[in-house]
Amino acid sequence: MRKLLFLTLCIFCCSVKAQKFEGLAKKPPMGWNSWNKFECKINETIIREIADALVKTGMKDAGYEYITVDDCWQIGRDSLGNILADPAKFPSGMKSLVDYVHSKGLKFGIYSDAGTQTCQGRPGSRGYEFQDARTYAKWGVDLLKYDWCNHGKQNAEASYTIMRDAIYKAGRPMVLSICEWGTNKPWEWGAAIGHTWRTTEDIINCFDCKNNWGGLGVLQIIDLQVEIGGYSGPGHWNDPDMLEIGNGVLTVNEERAHISMWSMFSAPLIAGNDIRNMSAGTNEVLTNKEVLAIDHDGLGISATRWMKYGELEIWFKPLNDHDFVFCFLNRSNQPVTINQDLKTTIKNYKVDGSYNVRDVWKHKDNGTTEDNIKGTIAGHDVLMLKLTRK
Protein backbone atom coordinates (compact mmCIF):
# COMPACT_ATOMS: atom_id res chain seq x y z
CA MET A 1 0.00 0.00 0.00
CA ARG A 2 2.81 2.42 0.93
CA LYS A 3 4.53 1.66 -2.39
CA LEU A 4 1.31 2.37 -4.29
CA LEU A 5 0.80 5.63 -2.38
CA PHE A 6 4.39 6.69 -3.10
CA LEU A 7 3.94 5.96 -6.81
CA THR A 8 0.69 7.94 -6.89
CA LEU A 9 2.37 10.91 -5.20
CA CYS A 10 5.25 10.78 -7.69
CA ILE A 11 2.87 10.81 -10.63
CA PHE A 12 0.96 13.70 -9.08
CA CYS A 13 4.10 15.74 -8.41
CA CYS A 14 5.42 15.18 -11.91
CA SER A 15 2.11 16.23 -13.45
CA VAL A 16 2.05 19.40 -11.33
CA LYS A 17 5.56 20.38 -12.42
CA ALA A 18 4.93 19.64 -16.11
CA GLN A 19 4.00 22.94 -17.73
CA LYS A 20 4.97 25.38 -20.40
CA PHE A 21 7.12 28.41 -19.67
CA GLU A 22 4.78 31.23 -18.70
CA GLY A 23 5.50 34.90 -19.31
CA LEU A 24 6.51 34.33 -22.93
CA ALA A 25 4.68 35.63 -26.01
CA LYS A 26 2.57 38.07 -24.03
CA LYS A 27 2.24 39.75 -27.41
CA PRO A 28 2.15 37.88 -30.72
CA PRO A 29 5.69 36.92 -31.77
CA MET A 30 7.21 38.89 -34.64
CA GLY A 31 10.17 37.86 -36.72
CA TRP A 32 11.35 36.08 -39.85
CA ASN A 33 11.31 32.45 -41.01
CA SER A 34 13.38 30.90 -43.80
CA TRP A 35 10.78 28.62 -45.41
CA ASN A 36 8.56 30.80 -47.62
CA LYS A 37 11.47 32.20 -49.61
CA PHE A 38 14.32 29.72 -49.29
CA GLU A 39 12.68 26.38 -48.43
CA CYS A 40 15.62 23.92 -48.16
CA LYS A 41 18.12 26.27 -49.80
CA ILE A 42 19.44 27.65 -46.52
CA ASN A 43 22.88 28.04 -44.97
CA GLU A 44 24.56 29.97 -42.20
CA THR A 45 25.63 32.82 -44.52
CA ILE A 46 22.03 33.52 -45.51
CA ILE A 47 20.85 33.45 -41.89
CA ARG A 48 23.63 35.81 -40.75
CA GLU A 49 22.88 38.21 -43.61
CA ILE A 50 19.16 38.11 -42.78
CA ALA A 51 19.96 38.97 -39.16
CA ASP A 52 22.06 41.91 -40.38
CA ALA A 53 19.27 43.05 -42.69
CA LEU A 54 16.62 42.81 -39.99
CA VAL A 55 18.59 45.43 -38.08
CA LYS A 56 19.62 47.56 -41.07
CA THR A 57 16.14 47.83 -42.61
CA GLY A 58 14.47 48.98 -39.39
CA MET A 59 12.47 45.78 -38.97
CA LYS A 60 14.09 45.06 -35.61
CA ASP A 61 13.12 48.54 -34.40
CA ALA A 62 9.57 47.88 -35.62
CA GLY A 63 9.36 44.77 -33.41
CA TYR A 64 10.59 41.84 -35.53
CA GLU A 65 12.90 39.88 -33.25
CA TYR A 66 12.92 36.13 -34.03
CA ILE A 67 15.12 34.61 -36.76
CA THR A 68 13.84 31.07 -37.30
CA VAL A 69 15.64 28.42 -39.34
CA ASP A 70 12.97 26.11 -40.76
CA ASP A 71 13.31 22.57 -42.15
CA CYS A 72 16.50 21.15 -43.73
CA TRP A 73 19.05 22.43 -41.21
CA GLN A 74 19.44 18.94 -39.69
CA ILE A 75 21.16 15.99 -41.37
CA GLY A 76 21.13 13.10 -38.88
CA ARG A 77 22.04 11.97 -35.37
CA ASP A 78 25.33 10.92 -33.86
CA SER A 79 26.00 7.60 -32.13
CA LEU A 80 24.44 8.95 -28.93
CA GLY A 81 21.31 10.17 -30.68
CA ASN A 82 22.16 13.86 -30.61
CA ILE A 83 20.68 15.86 -33.50
CA LEU A 84 23.27 17.12 -35.99
CA ALA A 85 23.24 20.23 -38.15
CA ASP A 86 24.23 19.79 -41.79
CA PRO A 87 27.98 20.61 -41.78
CA ALA A 88 27.92 21.63 -45.43
CA LYS A 89 25.28 24.28 -44.76
CA PHE A 90 26.29 25.20 -41.21
CA PRO A 91 30.05 24.60 -40.99
CA SER A 92 30.45 26.85 -37.96
CA GLY A 93 27.83 24.90 -36.02
CA MET A 94 24.41 25.90 -34.77
CA LYS A 95 25.66 27.29 -31.47
CA SER A 96 27.87 29.78 -33.33
CA LEU A 97 24.92 30.86 -35.48
CA VAL A 98 22.67 31.31 -32.45
CA ASP A 99 25.35 33.42 -30.78
CA TYR A 100 25.62 35.62 -33.88
CA VAL A 101 21.87 36.21 -33.96
CA HIS A 102 21.89 37.04 -30.25
CA SER A 103 24.77 39.49 -30.81
CA LYS A 104 22.39 41.52 -32.99
CA GLY A 105 19.89 41.83 -30.16
CA LEU A 106 17.63 39.25 -31.83
CA LYS A 107 16.24 35.86 -30.80
CA PHE A 108 16.78 32.50 -32.48
CA GLY A 109 14.14 29.99 -33.53
CA ILE A 110 14.63 26.45 -34.80
CA TYR A 111 12.43 23.83 -36.44
CA SER A 112 11.64 20.22 -35.64
CA ASP A 113 8.76 17.78 -36.04
CA ALA A 114 6.63 15.71 -33.66
CA GLY A 115 6.86 12.72 -36.01
CA THR A 116 9.67 10.37 -36.94
CA GLN A 117 10.75 12.64 -39.80
CA THR A 118 10.28 16.26 -40.74
CA CYS A 119 8.21 17.25 -43.77
CA GLN A 120 11.39 17.13 -45.87
CA GLY A 121 12.51 13.75 -44.57
CA ARG A 122 15.04 14.93 -41.99
CA PRO A 123 15.13 13.44 -38.47
CA GLY A 124 12.06 14.27 -36.40
CA SER A 125 11.95 14.45 -32.62
CA ARG A 126 9.67 11.50 -31.87
CA GLY A 127 11.41 9.45 -29.21
CA TYR A 128 14.11 12.10 -28.83
CA GLU A 129 12.02 14.96 -27.41
CA PHE A 130 13.94 15.42 -24.14
CA GLN A 131 17.31 14.94 -25.81
CA ASP A 132 16.51 17.47 -28.55
CA ALA A 133 15.13 19.99 -26.05
CA ARG A 134 18.39 19.75 -24.06
CA THR A 135 20.37 20.33 -27.25
CA TYR A 136 18.31 23.37 -28.22
CA ALA A 137 18.67 24.75 -24.70
CA LYS A 138 22.45 24.25 -24.85
CA TRP A 139 22.57 26.14 -28.16
CA GLY A 140 20.52 29.02 -26.71
CA VAL A 141 17.38 28.58 -28.82
CA ASP A 142 14.47 30.92 -27.98
CA LEU A 143 11.65 29.43 -30.08
CA LEU A 144 10.80 25.98 -31.40
CA LYS A 145 8.53 25.60 -34.42
CA TYR A 146 7.23 22.05 -34.05
CA ASP A 147 5.65 20.50 -37.15
CA TRP A 148 3.27 17.55 -37.65
CA CYS A 149 4.54 15.51 -40.62
CA ASN A 150 5.10 11.74 -40.48
CA HIS A 151 3.18 11.43 -37.22
CA GLY A 152 1.51 8.11 -37.97
CA LYS A 153 -1.19 7.38 -35.38
CA GLN A 154 0.17 9.76 -32.75
CA ASN A 155 -2.24 11.82 -30.68
CA ALA A 156 -1.58 15.49 -31.37
CA GLU A 157 -2.29 16.85 -27.90
CA ALA A 158 -0.17 14.17 -26.24
CA SER A 159 2.69 14.60 -28.72
CA TYR A 160 2.90 18.35 -28.20
CA THR A 161 2.57 17.91 -24.44
CA ILE A 162 5.69 15.71 -24.44
CA MET A 163 7.72 18.42 -26.15
CA ARG A 164 6.29 21.07 -23.82
CA ASP A 165 7.46 19.01 -20.85
CA ALA A 166 10.84 18.40 -22.49
CA ILE A 167 11.43 22.11 -23.01
CA TYR A 168 10.45 22.86 -19.43
CA LYS A 169 12.77 20.17 -18.08
CA ALA A 170 15.62 21.44 -20.25
CA GLY A 171 15.37 24.65 -18.25
CA ARG A 172 15.59 27.30 -20.99
CA PRO A 173 12.45 29.34 -21.71
CA MET A 174 11.40 28.80 -25.32
CA VAL A 175 8.29 29.81 -27.20
CA LEU A 176 6.62 26.59 -28.41
CA SER A 177 5.03 27.19 -31.80
CA ILE A 178 2.60 24.34 -32.48
CA CYS A 179 2.54 23.75 -36.25
CA GLU A 180 -0.26 21.19 -36.37
CA TRP A 181 -2.18 22.83 -39.28
CA GLY A 182 -5.47 23.07 -37.35
CA THR A 183 -6.31 19.44 -38.10
CA ASN A 184 -7.04 18.50 -34.47
CA LYS A 185 -8.43 21.90 -33.40
CA PRO A 186 -5.38 22.95 -31.37
CA TRP A 187 -7.15 26.15 -30.29
CA GLU A 188 -9.23 23.94 -27.99
CA TRP A 189 -6.22 22.48 -26.12
CA GLY A 190 -3.15 24.47 -27.13
CA ALA A 191 -3.20 27.21 -24.48
CA ALA A 192 -1.87 24.91 -21.76
CA ILE A 193 0.79 23.47 -24.04
CA GLY A 194 2.16 26.04 -26.48
CA HIS A 195 2.35 29.76 -27.05
CA THR A 196 1.05 29.76 -30.63
CA TRP A 197 -0.74 27.19 -32.75
CA ARG A 198 -1.34 27.04 -36.48
CA THR A 199 -5.01 27.27 -37.37
CA THR A 200 -4.78 26.24 -41.04
CA GLU A 201 -2.89 24.35 -43.70
CA ASP A 202 0.21 26.09 -45.10
CA ILE A 203 -0.18 29.50 -46.68
CA ILE A 204 0.69 29.69 -50.37
CA ASN A 205 1.84 32.76 -52.25
CA CYS A 206 -1.48 34.02 -53.60
CA PHE A 207 -4.38 36.13 -52.41
CA ASP A 208 -7.43 34.13 -53.47
CA CYS A 209 -6.66 30.47 -54.25
CA LYS A 210 -6.07 27.00 -52.87
CA ASN A 211 -4.33 23.92 -54.20
CA ASN A 212 -4.94 20.20 -54.16
CA TRP A 213 -2.61 19.41 -51.24
CA GLY A 214 -4.37 21.83 -48.93
CA GLY A 215 -2.35 25.03 -49.25
CA LEU A 216 -4.46 28.17 -48.92
CA GLY A 217 -4.35 31.77 -50.08
CA VAL A 218 -4.78 34.82 -47.88
CA LEU A 219 -8.57 35.05 -48.25
CA GLN A 220 -9.10 31.34 -47.62
CA ILE A 221 -7.08 31.59 -44.40
CA ILE A 222 -9.03 34.66 -43.28
CA ASP A 223 -12.27 32.70 -43.67
CA LEU A 224 -11.02 30.05 -41.24
CA GLN A 225 -10.47 32.60 -38.45
CA VAL A 226 -14.10 33.72 -38.21
CA GLU A 227 -15.24 31.34 -35.48
CA ILE A 228 -12.07 30.85 -33.40
CA GLY A 229 -10.97 34.32 -32.34
CA GLY A 230 -12.09 33.80 -28.76
CA TYR A 231 -9.41 31.17 -28.12
CA SER A 232 -6.56 33.62 -28.72
CA GLY A 233 -4.99 35.95 -26.18
CA PRO A 234 -1.79 36.95 -24.36
CA GLY A 235 0.55 33.97 -24.13
CA HIS A 236 -1.57 31.75 -26.41
CA TRP A 237 -2.20 32.90 -29.97
CA ASN A 238 -4.02 31.67 -33.03
CA ASP A 239 -1.45 31.51 -35.84
CA PRO A 240 -2.80 31.79 -39.42
CA ASP A 241 0.73 31.10 -40.76
CA MET A 242 3.60 33.23 -42.03
CA LEU A 243 3.48 36.30 -44.25
CA GLU A 244 3.94 36.15 -48.03
CA ILE A 245 4.62 39.88 -48.28
CA GLY A 246 7.55 40.72 -50.55
CA ASN A 247 7.67 37.38 -52.35
CA GLY A 248 6.77 38.79 -55.74
CA VAL A 249 3.18 37.65 -56.27
CA LEU A 250 0.89 39.73 -54.07
CA THR A 251 0.10 43.26 -55.23
CA VAL A 252 0.70 46.19 -52.89
CA ASN A 253 -3.04 46.28 -52.16
CA GLU A 254 -3.01 42.57 -51.30
CA GLU A 255 0.06 42.97 -49.09
CA ARG A 256 -1.70 45.73 -47.16
CA ALA A 257 -4.77 43.54 -46.75
CA HIS A 258 -2.62 40.57 -45.68
CA ILE A 259 -0.81 42.27 -42.80
CA SER A 260 -3.86 44.33 -41.82
CA MET A 261 -6.03 41.26 -41.28
CA TRP A 262 -3.24 39.38 -39.49
CA SER A 263 -2.97 42.40 -37.19
CA MET A 264 -6.73 42.42 -36.67
CA PHE A 265 -6.41 38.80 -35.52
CA SER A 266 -3.52 39.62 -33.13
CA ALA A 267 -1.58 36.97 -35.06
CA PRO A 268 2.15 36.27 -35.04
CA LEU A 269 3.78 38.37 -37.78
CA ILE A 270 6.52 36.24 -39.29
CA ALA A 271 8.01 37.66 -42.47
CA GLY A 272 9.04 35.15 -45.11
CA ASN A 273 10.73 37.22 -47.81
CA ASP A 274 14.37 37.93 -48.66
CA ILE A 275 14.66 41.07 -46.58
CA ARG A 276 18.22 41.60 -47.80
CA ASN A 277 16.84 42.72 -51.17
CA MET A 278 13.29 43.87 -50.48
CA SER A 279 11.81 46.99 -52.05
CA ALA A 280 11.09 50.18 -50.16
CA GLY A 281 7.38 49.46 -50.66
CA THR A 282 7.61 46.04 -49.04
CA ASN A 283 9.61 47.50 -46.16
CA GLU A 284 6.94 50.16 -45.69
CA VAL A 285 4.18 47.55 -45.53
CA LEU A 286 6.07 45.37 -43.05
CA THR A 287 7.09 48.23 -40.76
CA ASN A 288 3.94 50.38 -40.59
CA LYS A 289 4.06 51.01 -36.86
CA GLU A 290 0.43 52.13 -36.66
CA VAL A 291 -0.67 48.77 -38.03
CA LEU A 292 1.82 46.80 -35.94
CA ALA A 293 0.56 48.56 -32.80
CA ILE A 294 -2.89 47.14 -33.55
CA ASP A 295 -1.45 43.63 -33.74
CA HIS A 296 0.40 44.19 -30.45
CA ASP A 297 -2.38 45.94 -28.57
CA GLY A 298 -2.31 44.97 -24.91
CA LEU A 299 -5.81 43.48 -24.85
CA GLY A 300 -4.82 40.88 -27.44
CA ILE A 301 -8.41 40.44 -28.63
CA SER A 302 -8.94 38.94 -32.07
CA ALA A 303 -11.28 40.75 -34.45
CA THR A 304 -14.93 39.94 -35.05
CA ARG A 305 -16.50 40.06 -38.49
CA TRP A 306 -19.19 42.69 -37.93
CA MET A 307 -20.73 43.13 -41.37
CA LYS A 308 -20.63 41.38 -44.74
CA TYR A 309 -22.05 43.06 -47.83
CA GLY A 310 -21.35 40.79 -50.77
CA GLU A 311 -17.59 41.00 -51.33
CA LEU A 312 -17.12 43.69 -48.65
CA GLU A 313 -16.45 42.67 -45.06
CA ILE A 314 -16.12 44.93 -42.02
CA TRP A 315 -14.10 43.59 -39.10
CA PHE A 316 -14.12 45.07 -35.59
CA LYS A 317 -11.44 44.93 -32.91
CA PRO A 318 -11.48 46.51 -29.42
CA LEU A 319 -8.22 48.03 -28.18
CA ASN A 320 -6.77 49.28 -24.92
CA ASP A 321 -8.00 52.62 -23.54
CA HIS A 322 -11.49 52.04 -24.99
CA ASP A 323 -10.25 52.55 -28.54
CA PHE A 324 -11.41 50.47 -31.51
CA VAL A 325 -10.40 49.46 -35.03
CA PHE A 326 -12.62 48.85 -38.04
CA CYS A 327 -11.06 47.13 -41.05
CA PHE A 328 -12.99 47.20 -44.33
CA LEU A 329 -11.81 44.27 -46.50
CA ASN A 330 -12.65 44.34 -50.21
CA ARG A 331 -12.49 40.69 -51.31
CA SER A 332 -13.33 41.62 -54.90
CA ASN A 333 -10.70 42.60 -57.46
CA GLN A 334 -12.90 45.58 -58.35
CA PRO A 335 -13.24 48.86 -56.41
CA VAL A 336 -16.11 49.20 -53.97
CA THR A 337 -17.78 52.40 -52.74
CA ILE A 338 -18.71 52.75 -49.07
CA ASN A 339 -20.96 55.00 -47.02
CA GLN A 340 -20.93 53.46 -43.56
CA ASP A 341 -22.14 54.59 -40.14
CA LEU A 342 -19.71 53.26 -37.52
CA LYS A 343 -21.93 53.97 -34.52
CA THR A 344 -22.96 50.60 -33.13
CA THR A 345 -22.85 48.20 -30.19
CA ILE A 346 -20.83 45.00 -30.74
CA LYS A 347 -20.41 42.43 -27.97
CA ASN A 348 -21.02 45.01 -25.22
CA TYR A 349 -18.62 47.51 -26.83
CA LYS A 350 -20.38 50.74 -27.72
CA VAL A 351 -19.17 53.02 -30.49
CA ASP A 352 -20.93 56.38 -30.36
CA GLY A 353 -20.27 59.68 -32.08
CA SER A 354 -17.48 60.76 -29.73
CA TYR A 355 -14.51 59.17 -31.55
CA ASN A 356 -11.87 60.61 -33.81
CA VAL A 357 -11.15 58.43 -36.85
CA ARG A 358 -7.66 57.84 -38.26
CA ASP A 359 -6.65 56.06 -41.45
CA VAL A 360 -3.61 54.05 -40.33
CA TRP A 361 -2.34 53.40 -43.87
CA LYS A 362 -2.55 57.01 -45.02
CA HIS A 363 -1.37 58.20 -41.59
CA LYS A 364 -4.02 60.91 -41.55
CA ASP A 365 -7.15 61.77 -39.61
CA ASN A 366 -10.50 61.05 -41.23
CA GLY A 367 -13.14 63.00 -39.31
CA THR A 368 -15.18 61.61 -36.45
CA THR A 369 -17.78 58.92 -35.90
CA GLU A 370 -20.51 61.60 -35.99
CA ASP A 371 -20.35 61.30 -39.76
CA ASN A 372 -20.48 58.30 -42.06
CA ILE A 373 -17.27 56.97 -43.52
CA LYS A 374 -17.35 57.54 -47.26
CA GLY A 375 -14.96 56.64 -50.05
CA THR A 376 -13.74 53.95 -52.41
CA ILE A 377 -11.68 50.90 -51.54
CA ALA A 378 -9.58 49.45 -54.34
CA GLY A 379 -9.80 45.80 -55.29
CA HIS A 380 -8.18 43.36 -52.83
CA ASP A 381 -7.43 46.25 -50.50
CA VAL A 382 -8.45 47.47 -47.06
CA LEU A 383 -9.50 50.62 -45.28
CA MET A 384 -8.19 50.35 -41.73
CA LEU A 385 -9.54 52.91 -39.28
CA LYS A 386 -8.49 53.44 -35.67
CA LEU A 387 -11.06 55.13 -33.43
CA THR A 388 -9.81 57.16 -30.48
CA ARG A 389 -12.14 58.89 -28.04
CA LYS A 390 -12.02 62.68 -28.36
Side-chain angles (χ1 to χ4, degrees):
M1 178 64 71
R2 283 197 297 268
K3 184 177 181 180
L4 179 61
L5 179 60
F6 176 75
L7 179 61
T8 302
L9 288 172
C10 284
I11 293 172
F12 174 76
C13 291
C14 289
S15 64
V16 169
K17 291 180 180 179
Q19 64 184 79
K20 74 177 186 182
F21 277 102
E22 300 293 348
L24 302 179
K26 287 301 183 183
K27 295 182 178 180
M30 292 175 61
W32 178 89
N33 179 288
S34 60
W35 184 257
N36 282 359
K37 177 63 180 180
F38 297 100
E39 296 185 344
C40 277
K41 301 180 181 68
I42 53 171
N43 58 55
E44 66 179 44
T45 299
I46 291 174
I47 303 305
R48 287 171 182 257
E49 290 176 352
I50 289 292
D52 294 342
L54 206 71
V55 176
K56 183 178 179 180
T57 59
M59 288 183 67
K60 176 179 179 288
D61 289 340
Y64 295 86
E65 60 177 347
Y66 289 95
I67 299 283
T68 299
V69 179
D70 210 281
D71 206 352
C72 300
W73 65 267
Q74 61 283 78
I75 195 170
R77 295 186 181 275
D78 66 17
S79 60
L80 298 177
N82 296 308
I83 192 73
L84 298 173
D86 186 336
K89 295 182 175 183
F90 300 92
S92 301
M94 200 58 71
K95 178 66 167 65
S96 174
L97 184 59
V98 173
D99 289 345
Y100 186 83
V101 169
H102 285 167
S103 75
K104 299 294 179 179
L106 301 168
K107 297 179 181 179
F108 190 90
I110 206 163
Y111 167 98
S112 188
D113 191 284
T116 55
Q117 292 184 318
T118 70
C119 298
Q120 298 302 310
R122 308 301 176 98
S125 287
R126 184 178 181 182
Y128 295 89
E129 293 90 350
F130 287 83
Q131 190 168 4
D132 286 353
R134 288 195 300 271
T135 298
Y136 303 151
K138 183 173 66 175
W139 289 345
V141 169
D142 304 294
L143 177 149
L144 173 62
K145 177 182 175 181
Y146 204 43
D147 217 336
W148 188 233
C149 284
N150 299 301
H151 55 77
K153 296 182 179 180
Q154 291 173 238
N155 176 277
E157 183 176 354
S159 296
Y160 284 95
T161 298
I162 293 172
M163 182 51 82
R164 175 204 69 179
D165 295 348
I167 291 171
Y168 194 78
K169 187 173 182 180
R172 179 176 176 81
M174 297 179 209
V175 170
L176 177 56
S177 174
I178 296 172
C179 185
E180 185 271 346
W181 322 325
T183 307
N184 293 284
K185 299 182 179 180
W187 46 88
E188 294 182 351
W189 46 263
I193 298 172
H195 302 89
T196 71
W197 50 81
R198 278 274 298 280
T199 59
T200 72
E201 297 280 357
D202 290 355
I203 193 170
I204 50 180
N205 193 11
C206 63
F207 191 72
D208 184 7
C209 67
K210 58 183 178 180
N211 62 24
N212 57 12
W213 57 262
L216 301 173
V218 173
L219 282 182
Q220 285 66 39
I221 288 178
I222 289 171
D223 291 340
L224 293 175
Q225 313 310 306
V226 175
E227 302 295 334
I228 63 173
Y231 292 96
S232 192
H236 53 275
W237 305 102
N238 287 331
D239 176 10
D241 206 3
M242 300 172 289
L243 302 172
E244 288 284 6
I245 294 166
N247 281 332
V249 173
L250 302 183
T251 67
V252 173
N253 293 356
E254 292 167 348
E255 291 185 342
R256 271 196 300 267
H258 187 1
I259 198 168
S260 295
M261 290 306 300
W262 265 233
S263 295
M264 291 294 286
F265 298 139
S266 291
L269 298 179
I270 308 299
N273 60 312
D274 187 350
I275 60 177
R276 301 171 302 176
N277 303 302
M278 67 179 169
S279 69
T282 293
N283 191 9
E284 183 180 355
V285 169
L286 287 171
T287 60
N288 183 330
K289 291 187 178 181
E290 292 192 61
V291 175
L292 300 183
I294 291 167
D295 181 71
H296 270 202
D297 178 75
L299 289 184
I301 296 177
S302 185
T304 299
R305 189 170 65 187
W306 175 46
M307 296 278 189
K308 184 173 174 61
Y309 305 109
E311 292 295 290
L312 177 67
E313 297 179 355
I314 309 176
W315 291 74
F316 168 83
K317 179 183 176 75
L319 303 177
N320 260 328
D321 302 321
H322 305 287
D323 295 342
F324 304 105
V325 180
F326 285 93
C327 189
F328 293 69
L329 170 65
N330 181 8
R331 300 173 64 101
S332 168
N333 59 12
Q334 300 298 316
V336 62
T337 301
I338 61 169
N339 184 352
Q340 181 66 46
D341 184 359
L342 297 183
K343 296 188 291 295
T344 185
T345 298
I346 306 174
K347 291 186 175 181
N348 300 318
Y349 296 103
K350 183 176 182 180
V351 182
D352 56 24
S354 65
Y355 287 85
N356 293 315
V357 179
R358 181 171 176 82
D359 185 324
V360 299
W361 280 108
K362 292 183 178 178
H363 304 295
K364 61 184 292 187
D365 296 333
N366 193 6
T368 75
T369 48
E370 283 289 352
D371 303 311
N372 284 9
I373 296 297
K374 300 177 181 179
T376 300
I377 304 173
H380 289 180
D381 206 348
V382 291
L383 173 64
M384 198 173 193
L385 303 173
K386 181 177 179 181
L387 277 56
T388 305
R389 189 174 292 277
K390 295 179 187 176

